[in-house]
Every structure is written in structure tokens, then in C-alpha cells.
């Protein structure tokens, strides 16, 4: 099954409440997936301070020189005032076997195995701030229940993808990407989608064009929420049996698998609420 | 009991199932699933807000009004009575329903009336793709447009659409509107509170070509 939530804030007055709102949304979707969960937060001043690169590492992290490490259970947020590429390279050199769950200038990814409510508490998610957040509750179908199998998949700088559904031809597309030199962290089908989008963006394409190609090449069932340093996009497959609801006000755009996850948002009573149509790309920019 | 108001919680359906008659208002549904399912008495139920999945499912005898949007499978498997959604409905509205009247004043998403077995459905707006898939009996009226593959593999249900149909599914064809169809459509629209001119509608139904194997299909 799986649950997806996302919140793109338009009103800066709400930035201090991002974590609180995202926590409520995520926990309401616990029944759609209780084996793992994850979130992506854009612009938190503690996890991703301005001028710093942030990398999330899952697993043990020894003392690293010249960086700040914030440990949230098994998930460690590492930031330093260096370029993103440099921090990723330094961590890969020091910890060649570690899982890097996300990296960027504004993005912090936190994910793991366990109940969404317990993970949110471990992460201290309710206190987070920022301008955009994404969450996922997982009910595993296509790969094992491991931190590597948890969403979000954040495989490009400041990029993040969450998925409800299952890709049918992911092994074929994985082979194509591998032949192009793309390296995978897991056996998960969603990671193939995330690497595909990251690869298109790295080629200079925009998110709408990347998602149109994804619709053409990927078989299977999907509702996807794809975020980037300046954007927030939703797309569903042609059959559209995986649910999705979008709500918009002047203060925010929100997306969730089910309406009940949106009930706690301020001004929901006045929101424009609709279901995204199949294979239509809905995108908002900052 | 004449009327009562209850705030949505886990005991709502148990409370409703004990009533033989009367009217009930349910507040703060907040997108919860299975609100007012399995009713089997002539109750008047009003739900003030948006509902989750299967609202008013398996309804018999009761008249349920949802003042808000409905999630997946509203009025699924309804047997009798009525369900009115003053808002939009998600996919599979009225799925497999045998009887009664389902009115959706806004749009209904994909698979509206899938496998309908005798229910009447009137949609004020448009419907999504694969609506009336394998529809067996009943009538579906759409005041707006229909998405792709309308009436795929349809049996004997009658579909009336005022707007555009993106495409017809296998074995679904446009048919003439005879006098009895004008009368039937006018009556259905009136029950739902609309007075459109039936002449603006097109009737669709089964070409009945999937009922039997074609002689040309043998090897």
C-alpha cells in the first residue's frame, strides 16, 4: 500500500511549523505502511544551515574531522561549510560501506525501519522548520524491509522522490541505467525511478520533461511525489489506482495519499481540493 | 428518536445500526473511512464534511447526504435507499451497487459505476476513465464529460452522457434515444434535482458482441 504526504509552503509565516504539520500528516498515514518511514525537509536551519552542505548517513558514523554530526537514532545528519560534492566525497572515502540517504544544500533526508510515529519522535521531526517537506510510510512489496528500502530516495543533489505503488519493468530500466554507469544502493524498484529522474535532471532536463519520459518508459502502478531545490511535482500512472489528493490555498500546496492526512493543515476548510488526473504532471515552483 | 447529532468516532456505525428510524447528523468526519456503512433502516443521515473510503457502503433503505467530498468507493454495493454527495467523489463510486440512487453533484473520478448491478447514478459534473466497466444493470447519467474507455465490456446498463466522451471501451456503442429513453432520463434527472433537456444527451450501451465467441475466432 504505502502512504505519501508532502507540503510545499508558500507563506513564510508557516515555515516554523513545517515539522509539526508534516509529523501530523505522516502519522495519519501510518496505517498505509508501518514497516518503515522517511521524510525529507527543505531548509531546516539546524540540519541544513545556510552555507553548509548536508549529507544523511544511515549506520554507524565515527568521529569525523571538521564536520558537525547530529545523531538521530541510526540516522546521522552531517553538515559542513563546504561544497556538497566535497562533503559527499569525503564521507564516501571515510565510510565506503555507509548508506547515504540524501545530500544537498537545503535538503535533509531522514529514514529508517520502524513505525512512522516512533521514527518521527526519534528524528524530532515536530521541531523541524523549513519551506517544504515530504514523507512516506512504507508497506514493503518489491524489496526487503531495510533502511535501504525505505523512502524517500534522494539520489541527486536536493532531490527527493517518494512512491506509492510498484514498477513492473524496473529490472530492465535498471540494466539500461547501469550500462550508463549509474550505481544503485538497493534492489528497490523505486530507487530505479529516482535514479532515472536524477539522470534526466543531470542531463539538463526539467522535472516535467523528466516525469513525462518516466510515464512513457515505466510500467506499473505509481503515484509519485518528486521534489527538488525549487519544485514540488506529482504524477500518477495511466490507470491511476494508487490514490492521491491535492489541496491548495494561498499559504500552501499539499499532497497526500488520502484526504485525512490533510485535515490538520491550517485553512484546509477553504482549500481547493482535487484528485490529480492520470499521466498529467502537476508541478509547483518556489 | 427524531434527530441527533454525533461527532465522528469509532462508535458511529454501531450507534447508527441500533436505530430504526429518525435523522442523524454526523460532524467532523475528517476523511475517516467507512462512515455510515451497512445501514439497514429508513434513516436520514447527513454527514457534514469530507469522508474517506467506502462512505455509505452497502446502504439499504437509508438516505445519506454527504456535504463534502467522498473518497474511494462511496456507496459501493448499495442495495436501496439513496446517497447524495454534495461535492466530488473519488474512484469507484457506486461500485457493484445493486439498487438505490447515487447522486454526485461534482465530478466522479475513475471507474465510476464499475460493475454496477442495478443502481442509478447521476453525476452533476464529469466522470473519469474506465467508468461503467463491466456494468451489468442500472443507469448512469453524466451531465458533463466522460473519460477514456467508457463502458468497457458493458452488459446491459444504460449510460447517458451530455458532454464529450474521450473514448468508448470494448463493445460499448452510441445508441438511439427513443421516447422511452427520453422519459427514463428525464425521470432520473428529476430525482437528482436537475431539469436538463434529454435531447442534449447521447445514450450508450452494449453492442452485445462480447456475449458469444465469434465464428471467426476458432483455430
Amino acid at each position: 500500500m504505502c502512504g505519501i504526504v508532502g507540503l510545499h509552503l508558500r507563506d513564510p509565516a508557516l515555515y516554523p511549523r513545517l515539522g509539526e504539520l508534516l509529523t501530523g500528516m505522516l502519522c495519519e498515514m501510518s496505517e498505509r505502511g508501518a514497516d518503515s518511514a522517511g521524510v525529507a525537509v527543505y531548509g531546516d536551519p539546524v540540519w541544513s544551515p545556510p552555507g553548509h552542505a548536508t549529507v544523511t548517513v544511515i549506520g554507524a558514523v565515527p568521529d569525523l574531522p571538521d564536520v558537525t554530526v547530529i545523531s538521530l537514532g541510526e540516522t546521522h545528519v552531517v553538515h559542513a561549510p563546504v561544497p556538497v560534492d566535497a562533503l559527499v566525497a569525503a564521507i564516501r572515502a571515510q565510510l565506503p560501506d555507509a548508506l547515504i540517504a540524501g545530500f544537498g544544500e537545503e535538503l535533509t533526508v531522514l529514514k529508517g525501519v520502524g513505525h512512522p510515529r516512533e521514527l518521527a519522535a526519534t528524528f524530532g521531526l515536530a521541531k523541524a522548520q523549513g519551506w517544504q517537506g515530504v514523507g512516506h510510510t512504507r508497506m514493503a512489496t518489491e524489496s526487503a524491509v531495510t533502511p535501504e528500502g525505505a523512502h524517500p530516495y534522494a539520489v541527486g543533489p536536493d532531490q527527493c522522490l517518494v512512491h506509492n505503488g510498484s514498477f513492473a519493468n524496473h529490472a530492465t530500466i535498471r540494466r539500461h541505467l547501469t550500462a550508463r554507469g549509474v550505481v544503485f544502493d538497493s534492489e528497490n524498484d523505486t530507487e530505479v525511478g529516482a535514479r532515472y529522474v536524477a539522470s534526466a535532471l543531470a542531463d539538463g532536463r526539467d522535472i516535467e520533461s523528466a516525469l513525462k519520459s518516466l510515464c512513457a518508459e515505466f510500467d506499473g502502478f505509481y503515484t509519485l511525489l518528486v521534489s527538488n531545490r525549487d519544485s514540488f511535482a506529482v504524477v500518477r500512472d495511466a490507470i491511476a489506482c494508487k490514490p492521491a489528493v491535492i489541496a491548495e490555498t494561498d499559504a500552501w500546496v499539499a499532497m497526500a495519499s488520502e484526504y485525512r492526512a490533510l485535515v490538520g493543515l491550517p485553512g484546509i476548510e477553504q482549500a481547493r481540493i482535487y484528485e490529480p488526473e492520470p499521466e498529467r504532471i502537476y508541478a509547483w515552483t518556489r | 428518536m427524531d434527530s441527533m447529532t454525533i461527532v465522528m468516532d469509532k462508535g458511529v456505525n454501531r450507534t447508527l445500526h441500533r436505530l430504526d428510524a429518525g435523522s442523524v447528523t454526523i460532524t467532523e468526519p475528517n476523511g475517516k473511512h467507512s462512515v455510515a456503512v451497512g445501514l439497514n433502516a429508513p434513516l436520514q443521515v447527513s454527514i457534514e464534511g469530507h469522508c474517506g473510503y467506502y462512505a455509505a457502503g452497502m446502504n439499504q433503505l437509508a438516505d445519506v447526504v454527504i456535504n463534502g467530498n467522498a473518497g474511494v468507493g462511496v456507496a459501493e454495493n448499495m442495495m436501496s435507499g439513496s446517497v447524495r454527495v454534495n461535492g466530488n467523489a473519488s474512484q469507484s463510486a457506486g461500485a457493484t451497487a445493486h439498487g438505490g440512487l447515487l447522486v454526485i453533484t461534482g465530478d466522479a473520478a475513475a471507474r465510476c459505476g464499475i460493475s454496477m448491478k442495478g443502481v442509478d447514478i447521476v453525476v452533476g459534473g464529469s466522470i473519469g476513465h474506465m467508468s461503467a466497466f463491466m456494468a451489468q444493470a442500472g443507469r448512469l447519467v453524466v451531465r458533463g464529460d466522460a473519460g477514456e474507455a467508457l463502458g468497457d465490456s458493458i452488459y446491459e446498463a444504460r449510460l447517458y452522457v451530455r458532454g464529450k466522451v474521450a473514448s468508448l471501451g470494448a463493445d460499448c456503442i452510441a445508441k438511439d434515444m427513443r421516447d422511452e429513453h427520453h422519459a427514463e432520463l428525464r425521470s432520473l434527472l428529476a430525482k437528482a434535482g436537475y431539469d436538463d433537456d434529454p435531447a442534449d444527451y447521447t445514450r450508450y450501451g452494449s453492442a452485445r458482441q462480447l456475449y458469444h465467441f465469434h465464428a471467426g475466432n476458432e483455430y
Side-chain angles (χ1 to χ4, degrees), chain A residues 230-254:
Chain A
D230 59 355
S231 65
F232 184 84
V234 176
V235 67
R236 302 170 83 190
D237 68 81
I239 304 295
C241 64
K242 295 299 176 189
V245 179
I246 295 172
E248 281 189 71
T249 70
D250 291 342
W252 45 261
V253 179

Side-chain angles (χ1 to χ4, degrees), chain B residues 45-50 64-70 74 83-89 102-107 192 194:
Chain B
V45 177
S46 160
I47 303 167
E48 302 299 324
H50 306 311
V64 179
V65 176
I66 299 169
N67 289 310
N69 300 326
V74 63
V83 175
R84 183 181 180 94
V85 180
N86 289 317
N88 299 323
L102 169 61
V103 178
I104 297 156
T105 63
D107 297 328
Y194 300 113

